[in-house]
Amino acid sequence: MARTPHGYHDREQIARDLAKGGFTRSPRIDIVAAHSRAESPRVAAMAYCQGTPLRNEIEARDAAGLAATEVAGEAIARRFGRGSVKGKIQAHVVTVEADD
């Protein structure tokens, strides 16, 4: 997860990376929280395992690794039931001004 955008969450690291990229002004990093809903555990697993950059990590380890989607779906079902699944999501929105 550390190599995927989902793993890129450390605000201090983001600020350091921006400084290394030549930005001299401090970034504004807002956390935007919301809820996500999937009609079933399988849909949630499909979205996460195959619809995000996590897919690249799965395939890098094993080309047939997308079968992990079913395993993830079953794990979600065991924990949250077989109906619709609702969960918290959040993102960092980073804004930084370039020097004049």
Side-chain angles (χ1 to χ4, degrees):
M1 292 296 287
R3 294 188 334 207
T4 67
H6 294 87
Y8 192 57
H9 59 83
D10 184 325
R11 290 179 282 175
E12 291 177 10
Q13 181 64 52
I14 293 168
R16 285 192 299 271
D17 289 345
L18 288 166
K20 287 179 191 175
F23 289 94
T24 59
R25 297 184 184 184
S26 295
R28 176 179 167 172
I29 303 175
D30 296 307
I31 299 173
V32 177
H35 285 91
S36 177
R37 181 179 294 276
E39 65 185 48
S40 70
R42 184 179 186 288
V43 170
M46 181 75 71
Y48 197 65
C49 294
Q50 297 188 28
T52 72
L54 180 60
R55 179 185 186 130
N56 299 329
E57 294 296 315
I58 293 169
E59 290 180 323
R61 286 166 176 73
D62 179 1
L66 290 178
T69 304
E70 297 303 320
V71 175
E74 283 302 313
I76 294 169
R78 280 192 304 276
R79 183 159 182 189
F80 300 104
R82 298 212 172 266
S84 66
V85 180
K86 180 179 177 184
K88 295 179 184 178
I89 58 172
Q90 72 178 27
H92 293 309
V93 177
V94 180
T95 308
V96 64
E97 292 184 28
D99 291 329
D100 295 333

